[in-house]
Amino acid sequence: MGNLDYNRRMRHYHTNKSRTKYKIEHKKEYKISFVGESGTGAKSTLINRIMGKDFDENMDSNTTCRYEFKHVDIGNKEELILNLWDTIGQEKIRLITKLFLKNSDCVVLGYEVTNKRSFEEIKNYWYPLIKDWLECDLIYLVGNKIDLNDRREVSKEEANEYAKSLNLRFFEISCKTKEGLNEFYNDLLNQILELYKASRRYVEKKDIKNK
């Protein structure tokens, strides 16, 4: 997993006129978009788990769009805000999906290990769309439902090789049993924290130049 191009990302934040001055100079809110085929459990259910909610096998997936805010204490009386966007139902209206993806700092490509088609959708549609539409270096590939390993259609080796070839951060999880969830969430937090630290270094460097 290679290093992110933080300097390029920070230049992008500073030239994005749609953001407020506060966010440009001291960015603390990060948009994380979850995409993939409906029913994989790696979007709505995963967000629920990140928010500390119980597993719901019958969760409604017909909502147009949904987002949650999670506040994370990083010490020194500071906190980061994770803005978790779920593009539920947008797969049928893909042009609208692009609008919801705008300004994402991180994208989670979710598929189901027991559904080969959901993995092919990532390769053939979602990843190309992300790279064409967004300037985003932090991208995860997350396979859900490893608790149903006897019905697996996508091997861990195949998914891992695909992720490596594109420098994606790869995890397999079970939203039902929570297996792999902590590893994924902790890695996500660490990466977002690195973005935050990089944004501070960028601002400090810019302030020195302006003196």
Side-chain angles (χ1 to χ4, degrees):
M1 300 174 186
N3 293 327
L4 301 177
D5 187 350
Y6 293 117
N7 289 332
R8 180 164 66 85
R9 292 175 60 80
M10 293 309 115
R11 287 196 298 271
H12 174 63
Y13 295 144
H14 281 253
T15 55
N16 187 338
K17 302 303 182 183
S18 67
R19 295 181 183 271
T20 65
K21 182 178 180 182
Y22 171 81
K23 285 186 179 179
I24 291 174
E25 296 188 350
H26 202 190
K27 184 176 172 63
K28 288 188 176 182
E29 184 173 329
Y30 293 86
K31 181 177 180 180
I32 305 170
S33 296
F34 293 72
V35 301
E37 188 175 285
S38 293
T40 63
K43 296 189 300 170
S44 307
T45 307
L46 178 52
I47 290 175
N48 272 358
R49 283 307 210 180
I50 290 174
M51 296 300 297
K53 298 178 182 178
D54 293 334
F55 176 74
D56 183 0
E57 203 159 10
N58 301 309
M59 184 170 184
D60 181 16
S61 61
N62 295 319
T63 309
T64 302
C65 187
R66 163 180 171 247
Y67 57 90
E68 300 266 8
F69 292 97
K70 185 175 181 69
H71 295 252
V72 180
D73 184 359
I74 59 173
N76 297 320
K77 297 182 179 180
E78 289 188 290
E79 68 174 18
L80 298 181
I81 302 173
L82 305 185
N83 191 348
L84 310 173
W85 283 73
D86 180 1
T87 57
I88 333 175
Q90 303 311 312
E91 296 82 358
K92 298 177 182 178
I93 319 172
R94 289 180 169 178
L95 179 60
I96 297 178
T97 304
K98 291 180 179 180
L99 300 179
F100 283 113
L101 289 173
K102 187 176 180 181
N103 294 330
S104 295
D105 299 293
C106 171
V107 176
V108 178
L109 302 168
Y111 70 97
E112 181 183 332
V113 300
T114 60
N115 182 344
K116 182 76 170 182
R117 185 184 66 186
S118 67
F119 182 64
E120 294 299 323
E121 279 280 290
I122 295 296
K123 295 197 296 182
N124 298 327
Y125 179 76
W126 291 110
Y127 179 76
L129 181 147
I130 297 303
K131 295 309 291 182
D132 288 344
W133 189 254
L134 295 175
E135 186 175 350
C136 181
D137 298 305
L138 182 55
I139 305 176
Y140 282 82
L141 177 67
V142 177
N144 186 34
K145 300 190 180 181
I146 56 175
D147 54 290
L148 302 176
N149 200 50
D150 58 328
R151 290 161 48 185
R152 181 187 284 269
E153 294 181 2
V154 182
S155 71
K156 185 173 184 177
E157 294 72 23
E158 178 184 6
N160 190 41
E161 282 302 311
Y162 173 72
K164 277 185 176 180
S165 70
L166 298 172
N167 203 32
L168 312 180
R169 305 186 76 81
F170 171 62
F171 289 87
E172 284 193 336
I173 64 170
S174 168
C175 286
K176 185 174 185 178
T177 66
K178 293 187 177 182
E179 183 179 354
L181 265 176
N182 284 339
E183 291 82 355
F184 162 69
Y185 180 60
N186 289 337
D187 189 84
L188 177 63
L189 281 185
N190 286 334
Q191 291 300 309
I192 295 298
L193 186 58
E194 285 302 312
L195 290 181
Y196 169 67
K197 290 177 180 177
S199 71
R200 294 194 64 172
R201 288 195 298 268
Y202 184 91
V203 171
E204 289 167 1
K205 185 177 179 181
K206 190 173 182 181
D207 286 344
I208 291 172
K209 286 183 178 181
N210 292 335
K211 286 181 179 179

